[in-house]
Amino acid sequence: MRTFFTTLTVAAILSASLLAADFKLLNVSYDPTRELYEQFNAAFAKHYKAATGDNVTVNQSHGGSGGQANAVIEGLEADVVTLALAYDIESIAEKSKILPTEWQKRLPNNSTPYTSTVVFLVRKGNPKNIKTWNDLVKPGVSIIAAHPKTSGVARWSYLAGWGAVLKQELGDLKKLNDPQYDKEVAAAQKKARDYTLKVYKQVKVLDSGARGSTQSFVQRGQGDVLLNWENEAYLAVREYGADKYEIVVPPISILAEPPVALIDKVVDKKKTRAVAEAYLKYLYSPEGQEIAARNFYRPRDAKILEKYKNNFAKVELFTIDDVFGGWQKAQKEHFSDGGVFDQINTR
Amino acid sequence: MKKHSVLPGFGLTLGVSVTYLSIVVLIPLALLVWSTMSLSFADFVKAVGSKQVIASYKLTFGAAFLAALVNAVFGFIAAWSLVRYRFFGRRVVDALIDMPFAMPTAVSGIALTALCASNGWVGSLAAKYGSKLVIFAEEHGLDFMNIPYLNRYDGLQLAYSQFGVFIALTFIGLPFVVRTLQPALEDLDREVEEAAESLGATKFQTFRRVILPSVFPSLMTGFTLAFARALGEYGSVVFISGNLPYETEITSLLIVAKLQQYDYAGATAISVVMLTASFALMFVINFTQYLARRRK
């Protein structure tokens, strides 16, 4: 009898390990998604096991978005990338040709399963009374932000302020693409540039990344206001206390879309295409969306957004495509060497 | 003509050294230069000669030089007391000297920033007494307004200023000076000092004429190593400097910024400039040492 059970057990173990495949995925991501993907990976592994019987282990790599993209270009074998801005994935497609250039059309919503935006974190009671983008340039306000040349969120913040001024000047952002308003648009662009110049004059610390600037604001006590990701601001309040900080959501901001993509060359080589595709699709599932919402990323799914609506203040959002003509153009005009960011800092 | 050394294995060890040096040092350096070659001369000049990059050279070289200088003085004193005196806890102090070597640079950067920020132990004192100093000076009609990062409201700002860059570079450079000086000081013959004194030299003369000349080459080596190390430092400085363009941006930050824009050629161009500068510096210092030795 005992022999029978032993044989049965051994057979069960053997057959399980023979039939169930073991997959290993590498997700190369940016800095603030650490907590999000820790939870999501566990949920996905469970879901995939239940659906197919196969085991999946997802390894994570985090760092500044641009640096991570660089690593993938240099040969880091990522099955999927989940980065802070489309420009970084576009660069991977363009430089190393390991995924098609139309990657962003392969998944719904511009391949961004969750979105975020740029908000202000201020000290409790909002002593400098900062509520709008214009309040940032009031005399005596000291700003903490990340460096637009090295950080993804820093670029989103810069563009958010710029777009907010355009909106205020023009009333309707559609005028940007209407030739009959050319003069008005040019004047508004000039205002936005002057505004941005003032903002960076009042920046006290430009940290190299999103987490670093949170640290400067929270732990080093620098500055009156921090410009950062909405999710990063919530995390700071949760970690360091709602009695010390509060989040101010400006009336208008940018729709930050951190996209995800499959790296075709890698998944074909590692034979992980099916599981990697399932992984990215699962981000759009109710459970994936719920995990994103719990980590303060705005879910795309309307029902789940409704459920978590207390976490996400109403804010008018504009997209980078509408206002800046996409990442390639924005990057070239504003952040490349000799671009507007360099020009306004010139002495 | 071929002379054989008494020791066997010359060919083998030289072969190994050259191969090892090539793999570890020369090939990466060649790649660096190679990558820069993809730039036209005009683009190269533009990449390495823009105003912003030049401002960063000034800060990087200036702060690195000052930090190495300060380390040369205090590193000498530290090495002297470690070699010459036996005191309680000497071994602990000796081990502590290596801490900047052993610590990940980001950790040192964060620790120094925590200490020097306006809410840190040292930073809060600098803020308080800095502002008192300015108020005192203004009352006496002195003009302190030209000193950067010093004003009556914030006092002296240590972190997020050029002072912060200097502090971080001093921290990481100290072990180089101490560790190169220690063996030289240990080899110093005390009898020579005693002879100098018995011949009527004052303490200062003994130091100036006897001790200093014999340890000077090691001091220079230590200084150069600390200086060169500081030129390339990134991890600790970015946390404490604040990274403001034209003010507190170090050159390595600009290299990283260029890499983020996928401008590899521009990044390597700046690296080549830094490399050439440090190489030239090493060369000059080694050459002066050679001259000094020949004069003896």
Side-chain angles (χ1 to χ4, degrees):
Chain A
M1 202 60 193
R2 232 172 92 186
T3 341
F4 174 70
F5 274 118
T6 320
T7 324
L8 207 65
T9 324
V10 171
I13 293 169
L14 274 179
S15 64
S17 60
L18 282 176
L19 295 175
D22 283 313
F23 290 110
K24 274 210 175 88
L25 292 184
L26 175 62
N27 176 2
V28 171
S29 194
Y30 61 112
D31 242 346
T33 55
R34 221 170 279 265
E35 294 78 10
L36 165 68
Y37 280 107
E38 248 166 46
Q39 293 169 28
F40 178 76
N41 292 346
F44 174 72
K46 221 167 132 194
H47 156 82
Y48 202 71
K49 176 90 186 162
T52 64
D54 295 339
N55 301 312
V56 197
T57 326
V58 186
N59 290 320
Q60 283 297 132
S61 157
H62 296 276
S65 189
Q68 294 290 78
N70 252 334
V72 174
I73 292 172
E74 297 290 323
L76 176 63
E77 292 203 325
D79 300 87
V80 296
V81 287
T82 54
L83 294 177
L85 30 97
Y87 176 72
D88 287 326
I89 304 184
E90 277 165 25
S91 300
I92 299 175
E94 191 192 308
K95 309 250 165 199
S96 59
K97 307 196 169 35
I98 50 180
L99 74 166
T101 43
E102 62 276 14
W103 61 273
Q104 206 163 9
K105 298 203 181 79
R106 295 196 293 189
L107 286 165
N109 306 105
N110 281 333
S111 288
T112 38
Y114 44 79
T115 66
S116 190
T117 188
V118 175
V119 300
F120 309 150
L121 190 68
V122 296
R123 303 197 186 279
K124 189 71 193 174
N126 199 355
K128 297 268 165 116
N129 198 22
I130 297 160
K131 294 204 170 108
T132 66
W133 291 96
N134 282 329
D135 292 337
L136 293 181
V137 294
K138 283 194 300 197
V141 172
S142 143
I143 304 167
I144 304 298
H147 202 303
K149 295 249 178 179
T150 56
S151 150
V153 70
R155 271 172 262 177
W156 286 115
S157 314
Y158 169 108
L159 296 173
W162 188 289
V165 175
L166 288 185
K167 165 81 185 173
Q168 180 187 315
E169 293 297 311
L170 296 171
D172 185 355
L173 288 171
K174 287 209 180 72
K175 287 185 185 169
L176 285 169
N177 300 315
D178 194 337
Q180 82 181 82
Y181 294 109
D182 269 357
K183 264 198 186 145
E184 210 181 316
V185 167
Q189 296 281 17
K190 171 92 179 37
K191 277 259 169 77
R193 187 192 166 106
D194 292 344
Y195 167 82
T196 310
L197 168 70
K198 273 196 215 150
V199 167
Y200 285 91
K201 278 247 148 59
Q202 280 175 235
V203 167
K204 192 176 177 197
V205 180
L206 279 176
D207 280 285
S208 56
R211 269 292 142 88
S213 57
T214 309
Q215 301 259 326
S216 294
F217 183 75
V218 172
Q219 290 184 320
R220 312 283 161 259
Q222 302 297 308
D224 303 308
V225 54
L226 168 73
L227 303 186
N228 215 328
W229 294 107
E230 183 175 46
N231 49 286
E232 186 74 8
Y234 271 105
L235 210 63
V237 169
R238 195 170 64 184
E239 294 282 310
Y240 301 106
D243 52 331
K244 291 197 200 104
Y245 306 98
E246 51 186 84
I247 293 169
V248 174
V249 180
I252 183 169
S253 193
I254 197 161
L255 178 72
E257 298 184 306
V260 302
L262 188 81
I263 305 290
D264 296 66
K265 276 264 173 68
V266 175
V267 294
D268 287 345
K269 186 179 148 200
K270 287 166 71 177
K271 311 219 179 321
T272 49
R273 181 178 279 273
V275 56
E277 261 169 9
Y279 179 76
L280 292 184
K281 287 222 176 86
Y282 199 60
L283 282 168
Y284 291 88
S285 74
E287 191 181 11
Q289 292 282 293
E290 182 120 17
I291 292 171
R294 278 207 300 270
N295 285 284
F296 309 109
Y297 293 85
R298 294 182 177 228
R300 291 286 195 180
D301 188 315
K303 264 191 225 142
I304 290 166
L305 183 62
E306 179 63 22
K307 187 174 164 194
Y308 286 89
K309 66 176 177 200
N310 291 338
N311 281 355
F312 303 110
K314 276 236 154 41
V315 46
E316 187 188 344
L317 296 169
F318 56 85
T319 68
I320 183 165
D321 292 341
D322 292 346
V323 179
F324 300 95
W327 262 113
Q328 291 290 345
K329 194 158 168 262
Q331 174 74 28
K332 204 161 166 240
E333 252 176 56
H334 293 274
F335 308 117
S336 291
D337 280 350
V340 178
F341 181 73
D342 281 347
Q343 291 165 27
I344 61 176
N345 280 303
T346 302
R347 316 246 151 129
Chain B
M1 274 311 277
K2 207 172 160 193
K3 267 194 213 160
H4 279 283
S5 162
V6 208
L7 288 170
F10 170 71
L12 183 68
T13 48
L14 184 72
V16 169
S17 320
V18 170
T19 316
Y20 186 72
L21 199 69
S22 306
I23 293 171
V24 177
V25 182
L26 292 179
I27 293 175
L29 287 189
L31 275 177
L32 198 68
V33 177
W34 178 253
S35 168
T36 319
M37 292 298 190
S38 66
L39 286 175
S40 73
F41 184 71
D43 284 341
F44 178 82
V45 171
K46 217 173 102 190
V48 303
S50 81
K51 272 194 199 161
Q52 192 178 4
V53 179
I54 287 174
S56 84
Y57 295 146
K58 280 186 193 157
L59 173 66
T60 310
F61 280 92
F65 184 81
L66 279 182
L69 211 62
V70 168
N71 274 330
V73 174
F74 288 94
F76 188 101
I77 296 172
W80 179 264
S81 48
L82 283 174
V83 169
R84 280 303 165 94
Y85 309 111
R86 292 290 171 269
F87 52 90
F88 179 73
R90 191 181 70 96
R91 279 181 189 281
V92 178
V93 175
D94 198 39
L96 276 179
I97 297 278
D98 280 334
M99 280 306 278
F101 269 155
M103 258 155 90
T105 50
V107 175
S108 348
I110 291 169
L112 287 173
T113 316
L115 201 65
C116 297
S118 50
N119 65 354
W121 287 354
V122 180
S124 59
L125 291 179
K128 193 172 145 198
Y129 290 102
S131 104
K132 279 191 180 165
L133 182 72
V134 174
I135 291 167
F136 175 83
E138 278 173 3
E139 277 166 4
H140 291 74
L142 296 166
D143 189 12
F144 269 26
M145 286 290 123
N146 290 328
I147 299 177
Y149 300 103
L150 176 67
N151 64 52
R152 63 186 303 161
Y153 308 107
D154 302 328
L156 180 65
Q157 203 182 319
L158 287 182
Y160 310 115
S161 70
Q162 285 137 0
F163 297 112
V165 177
F166 165 75
I167 290 168
L169 297 183
T170 311
F171 179 81
I172 53 146
L174 178 69
F176 291 92
V177 176
V178 179
R179 290 292 176 248
T180 43
L181 271 177
Q182 267 177 329
L185 286 171
E186 268 159 15
D187 285 348
L188 211 61
D189 228 338
R190 275 193 202 206
E191 283 153 23
V192 185
E193 283 165 58
E194 282 159 14
E197 270 184 62
S198 69
L199 289 172
T202 62
K203 292 261 179 208
F204 179 74
Q205 278 173 326
T206 317
F207 175 75
R208 168 79 186 73
R209 304 250 167 178
V210 177
I211 298 170
L212 198 57
S214 47
V215 298
F216 193 70
S218 314
L219 188 63
M220 280 307 275
T221 309
F223 172 84
T224 319
L225 286 175
F227 183 56
R229 172 75 177 78
L231 285 182
E233 178 61 13
Y234 175 75
S236 62
V237 180
V238 288
F239 288 98
I240 199 171
S241 69
N243 308 322
L244 296 179
Y246 293 88
E247 281 184 36
T248 51
E249 263 181 349
I250 52 163
T251 309
S252 7
L253 180 83
L254 292 179
I255 295 175
V256 173
K258 285 209 185 289
L259 287 177
Q260 299 272 322
Q261 297 165 47
Y262 310 101
D263 179 7
Y264 301 107
T268 48
I270 300 183
S271 323
V272 165
V273 170
M274 293 295 276
L275 192 74
T276 317
S278 13
F279 188 77
L281 239 125
M282 298 270 198
F283 184 79
V284 167
I285 288 168
N286 278 328
F287 191 67
T288 42
Q289 276 185 21
Y290 164 78
L291 285 184
R293 229 172 289 144
R294 256 200 10 182
R295 223 177 37 202
K296 261 198 255 172

